[in-house]
Amino acid sequence: MNHSSNGSHRAAGVSTLAVHAGELRQKAGNALTDSIVCSATYTFANTQAVIDFLEKKQDREEYGRYGNPGEKVVERKLAALENGEDAILYASGMAAIVGVLMAKLNAGDEVVFFDECYHRSREFCSQHLSRFGVVTRQIRCCDYEAMEAAITPKTKLLVSESPTNPHLSVVDLERFTDIGRRRNIETLIDATLATPYNVKPLEYGVDYVLHSATKYLGGHNDLLAGVIIGRKDKLEPIRKLRGIMGAINSPHNIYLLERGLKTFELRMQRHNATGQAIAEFLESHPRVERVFYPGLPSHPYHAVARRQMHGCGGLITFLVKDADWRQTAAVVDAAKVARIAPSLGGVESLIEQPLIMSYYEMPIEDRRRYGIPDNMIRLSCGIENTEDLIEDLRQALEA
């Protein structure tokens, strides 16, 4: 816990880290909370101070595109929550993954993805990285033999989400990292849905952990942010490129993220408990065909989730039995507590039909290939009372 160790050899708990890690014990102006520093540039007392900064690598700010005092606090806090050496904060989750890919891949390189990844990540690779001569190979999620078979001497990075969105497939991190280690290829896991409360991929040997901090880490649907966490030496070239590309966050967003993190463990406990209870309710409902939630024994990756996850989070995907897209939309529209919106991981419950919200313009054959049927609903459970959410779903399904 940076700057706030109590001298004990026992590792600090999640909430203690979320509240205190990365912060100075005594702050500017003797304030309890960190200040919002609204400055585009930072002054030096004299020329020698500039030289000292450059030659001695002093830990201070120079220009806003390279860092902000509040940003450093949040980066240290996020690194501590993941048991990582360092973290780099970005303006969004997409800015974070773009930052990593642009820093790590050159023309002629190849990247291998498990195919249940965020459609915008897939789009960036297939439509934009390809313009610079980078080849993307997509492999059926959790098919480790196929992933290894797709590796060539040009492969530089293996990428997956875990759990995936919206199917909540859980990657066996030991098998995933073993492939990378044996083939000398770096690995990246987008653990947005898991959060560091439910799994810490770095402990399995993953090189880079990515989060859309917009989701559970910020937790209040009021900010955009992304973070990449790993070893300091591996992150250094990524941080340097961020300073050039300028994909930084604003001082106020940084403050909101730090404030949101204070209640991180408490929120995740509710998300986990509510997610499990609602998944069990949905699986028992006669109007539900199938539920995708790794906390259920019926989920194909339940055993992996039990082995490596503390809990399964608040995102649930389910299929409405014998429903076309209009009948499925009627269930979404009938919800009174959950709001219709994209995103996930906030205190408010959100509900959506992936066909409409994220895949509306995708050709039907592509939707089928990625497993997005017309009768699919995705629910992000907030921190409302569990029984109220269950009752709301019951009336929506029976409306």
Side-chain angles (χ1 to χ4, degrees):
M1 217 172 26
N2 295 30
H3 304 296
S4 51
S5 173
N6 58 11
S8 169
H9 294 294
R10 178 188 167 277
V14 175
S15 278
T16 305
L17 290 172
V19 173
H20 295 295
E23 300 183 21
L24 294 169
R25 185 168 179 85
Q26 204 65 22
K27 301 180 176 71
N30 302 310
L32 179 62
T33 57
D34 281 288
S35 303
I36 301 175
V37 180
C38 293
S39 187
T41 190
Y42 299 85
T43 63
F44 293 83
N46 49 47
T47 300
Q48 187 59 49
V50 181
I51 294 170
D52 289 344
F53 164 70
L54 295 171
E55 292 185 350
K56 299 177 183 178
K57 310 296 182 187
Q58 291 179 342
D59 187 18
R60 55 150 291 165
E61 309 308 334
E62 173 199 7
Y63 185 61
R65 200 174 70 246
Y66 306 127
N68 176 286
E71 177 185 79
K72 281 190 168 64
V73 172
V74 173
E75 288 178 342
R76 290 193 297 259
K77 193 182 294 289
L78 291 168
L81 286 169
E82 280 285 5
N83 290 340
E85 285 183 5
D86 198 12
I88 308 173
L89 198 63
Y90 282 85
S92 68
M94 274 306 303
I97 193 167
V98 167
V100 175
L101 295 172
M102 293 296 287
K104 291 293 174 179
L105 300 173
N106 297 308
D109 288 345
E110 297 183 1
V111 56
V112 180
F113 268 84
F114 276 149
D115 63 356
E116 291 181 15
C117 60
Y118 179 48
H119 66 285
R120 295 303 184 196
S121 300
R122 187 163 54 228
E123 181 181 332
F124 175 73
C125 290
S126 62
Q127 296 186 25
H128 299 286
L129 273 184
S130 60
R131 294 188 292 115
F132 302 100
V134 175
V135 174
T136 302
R137 302 189 186 278
Q138 291 190 56
I139 303 303
R140 185 68 192 150
C141 191
C142 298
D143 188 338
Y144 305 98
E145 289 81 9
M147 172 168 269
E148 185 145 23
I151 292 172
T152 77
K154 297 179 179 179
T155 306
K156 295 296 188 292
L157 195 63
L158 307 179
V159 180
S160 182
E161 296 180 13
S162 186
T164 64
N165 180 9
H167 298 91
L168 293 123
S169 299
V170 182
V171 171
D172 185 325
L173 295 175
E174 291 177 348
R175 294 187 69 180
F176 180 75
T177 54
D178 178 63
I179 295 171
R181 192 179 299 112
R182 284 188 290 102
R183 304 298 291 269
N184 197 30
I185 299 167
E186 291 187 324
T187 51
L188 183 151
I189 286 288
D190 179 341
T192 296
L193 267 63
T195 79
Y197 183 71
N198 284 330
V199 71
K200 292 181 171 63
L202 295 178
E203 295 180 354
Y204 292 85
V206 170
D207 293 298
Y208 307 103
V209 178
L210 173 80
H211 291 282
S212 170
T214 307
K215 315 300 194 296
Y216 288 110
L217 296 174
H220 291 77
N221 291 320
D222 59 1
L223 64 90
L224 295 176
V227 66
I228 185 78
I229 304 167
R231 266 175 35 194
K232 194 174 185 67
D233 60 327
K234 288 180 176 288
L235 292 186
E236 196 55 38
I238 303 173
R239 186 180 293 280
K240 286 182 178 178
L241 183 61
R242 189 201 66 167
I244 296 170
M245 295 178 70
I248 58 168
N249 223 313
S250 71
H252 188 252
N253 267 14
I254 292 165
Y255 165 78
L256 288 174
L257 178 54
E258 182 179 347
R259 186 174 71 163
L261 283 166
K262 303 281 185 174
T263 57
F264 170 62
E265 182 178 37
L266 302 178
R267 290 185 285 102
M268 288 310 302
Q269 288 170 345
R270 174 61 71 89
H271 288 306
N272 282 348
T274 297
Q276 185 69 36
I278 289 181
E280 291 171 2
F281 160 75
L282 288 169
E283 191 166 58
S284 68
H285 197 283
R287 252 204 109 185
V288 175
E289 173 188 324
R290 182 181 177 187
V291 181
F292 299 84
Y293 189 75
L296 297 174
S298 59
H299 194 279
Y301 302 106
H302 175 68
V304 179
R306 285 197 65 179
R307 187 172 73 247
Q308 69 183 26
M309 295 183 73
H310 179 71
C312 294
L315 193 75
I316 304 160
T317 302
F318 63 99
L319 307 181
V320 182
K321 188 179 292 181
D322 300 324
D324 61 20
W325 76 266
R326 289 181 179 84
Q327 292 164 323
T328 305
V331 175
V332 172
D333 292 347
K336 292 181 170 64
V337 177
R339 309 297 178 86
I340 301 174
S343 200
L344 58 102
V347 294
E348 298 92 357
S349 290
L350 304 177
I351 193 167
E352 61 150 281
Q353 193 174 355
L355 164 72
I356 305 295
M357 189 66 74
S358 299
Y359 294 89
Y360 189 71
E361 296 178 344
M362 182 178 283
I364 188 167
E365 59 273 15
D366 289 344
R367 290 204 306 268
R368 285 174 177 161
R369 186 165 84 247
Y370 294 122
I372 309 297
D374 294 2
N375 62 337
M376 177 180 276
I377 291 176
R378 194 190 77 170
L379 173 71
S380 170
C381 304
I383 63 167
E384 301 95 343
N385 293 96
T386 305
E387 55 271 23
D388 292 332
L389 290 173
I390 289 175
E391 187 54 41
D392 187 39
L393 285 168
R394 189 195 315 277
Q395 67 81 27
L397 285 163
E398 297 170 3

